[in-house]
Amino acid sequence: MKKILVMGAAGQIGSELVPHLRSIYGEQNVVASDLKERSELGDTLNKGLYEKLDILDTEGTVAVIKKYNIDSVYNLVALLSSVGEQKPQLSWKINLGGLVNLLEISREMKLALFTPSSIGAFGPSTPKVNTPQDTIQRPTSIYGVTKVAGELLCDYYFKKYGVDTRGVRFPGIISNVTLPGGGTTDYAVDIYYEAIRKGHYTCYIKKGTFMDMMYMPDCLKAAVDIMEADPSKLKHRNCFNVAAMSFEPEMLAAEIRKHIPSFTMDYNVDPVRQGIADSWPDSMDDSAAREEWGWKPEFDLKNMTEDMIKVLKEKLK
Ligand code: SER
């Protein structure tokens, strides 16, 4: 049985990945960690094993890994794209410094390491539609710079030292438990909350801007399946494109209107986040993930919207 440490567990993905991993591998085999105190955690994380941990603290991380006999780490620590532009130096320090730390620990302690990359690893010179698995990567955000460097470092540690590094390039993740913080794709989460609370949303991303998105259940499936994949079948190992749906704000608003007919949307475009969105792909080609480890998403815009509205109506009552 795996013994897993999830770092950055209190974030949007971690707060749902931890209970998901516990349901698969057992409560006692999944340790959550984050910068937060236990008392600051949400209900789901609060229930199980937890360690307050800074990814830049090598000694502390090694101590937790030894304490629980950890053999696999999910590294979800990152400053997202929009907040990264406000704090580029900190973004490099956390996103890359944290990864380098974990790669070294993984090399010495023979751990498997999952690190997500992102659509943010692409840039304006990347082919925009059906973006290939292997293509031009010249991102213009600091987030993207850290993600490309991270992809290359993970490949390097596998090739040079045999560290079992794996990862996917996540699209914008849409979920209803924990809000994302400081990303460019966050509008696609905010819109559901505002549609239910106020019946109106002011969108910071311009009409017609397509980006890849994914519903949380598929995100969790991707994170588990890549770590469970047969290594002999993996030609890429790290940074697989994984796609589920691609839409622009008007398409999302129209889908919400099928459930809330009076929903209205206007725009107040944020130039920073719009600039980032314009530099990212419209849609990724995920055939390598499908071929090498059987990736197949379950949610599209229609069934995701049905579920989001059902869950949020209950939650925001
Ligand atoms: N959701 C992320 C962001 O917008 C992309 O990986 O920054």
Side-chain angles (χ1 to χ4, degrees), residues 80-82 117-120 143 170-173 182-186 280:
L80 293 184
S81 57
S82 166
S117 185
S118 158
I119 48 174
Y143 178 69
F170 278 134
I173 303 297
T184 299
T185 57
D186 297 8
W280 288 355

Side-chain angles (χ1 to χ4, degrees), residues 132-278:
Q133 173 66 39
D134 302 308
T135 186
I136 300 163
Q137 289 181 268
R138 307 284 298 171
T140 45
S141 68
I142 188 67
Y143 178 69
V145 172
T146 68
K147 286 298 176 189
V148 176
E151 290 183 2
L152 294 172
L153 261 181
C154 287
D155 280 349
Y156 182 80
Y157 266 71
F158 170 66
K159 189 164 156 272
K160 176 103 177 162
Y161 302 115
V163 177
D164 187 4
T165 53
R166 304 189 190 193
V168 297
R169 291 185 186 125
F170 278 134
I173 303 297
I174 296 168
S175 65
N176 49 49
V177 174
T178 304
L179 287 169
T184 299
T185 57
D186 297 8
Y187 90 87
V189 179
D190 299 342
I191 191 172
Y192 287 103
Y193 281 79
E194 296 296 283
I196 290 167
R197 281 189 186 127
K198 301 185 187 147
H200 180 77
Y201 182 63
T202 299
C203 188
Y204 61 79
I205 290 291
K206 216 189 284 172
K207 183 191 285 196
T209 309
F210 279 83
M211 283 184 275
D212 270 307
M213 302 281 176
M214 181 180 288
Y215 198 29
M216 184 60 92
D218 282 328
C219 166
L220 303 180
K221 187 154 78 101
V224 171
D225 287 358
I226 181 64
M227 291 305 275
E228 288 290 347
D230 175 354
S232 68
K233 302 226 167 76
L234 299 182
K235 292 185 207 121
H236 289 88
R237 293 199 76 89
N238 290 295
C239 57
F240 282 94
N241 286 0
V242 284
M245 62 189 97
S246 168
F247 57 74
E248 53 85 35
E250 289 294 316
M251 288 166 69
L252 179 51
E255 200 59 43
I256 290 174
R257 246 173 243 125
K258 291 182 186 164
H259 304 266
I260 307 171
S262 58
F263 174 64
T264 54
M265 182 166 77
D266 60 4
Y267 292 87
N268 181 13
V269 173
D270 168 21
V272 174
R273 285 178 286 187
Q274 184 63 42
I276 295 173
D278 286 339

Side-chain angles (χ1 to χ4, degrees), residues 64-85:
V64 168
I65 288 167
K66 281 190 180 151
K67 178 174 169 187
Y68 295 98
N69 280 319
I70 298 296
D71 55 42
S72 308
V73 176
Y74 279 85
N75 167 25
L76 304 178
V77 176
L79 254 60
L80 293 184
S81 57
S82 166
V83 73
E85 290 312 297

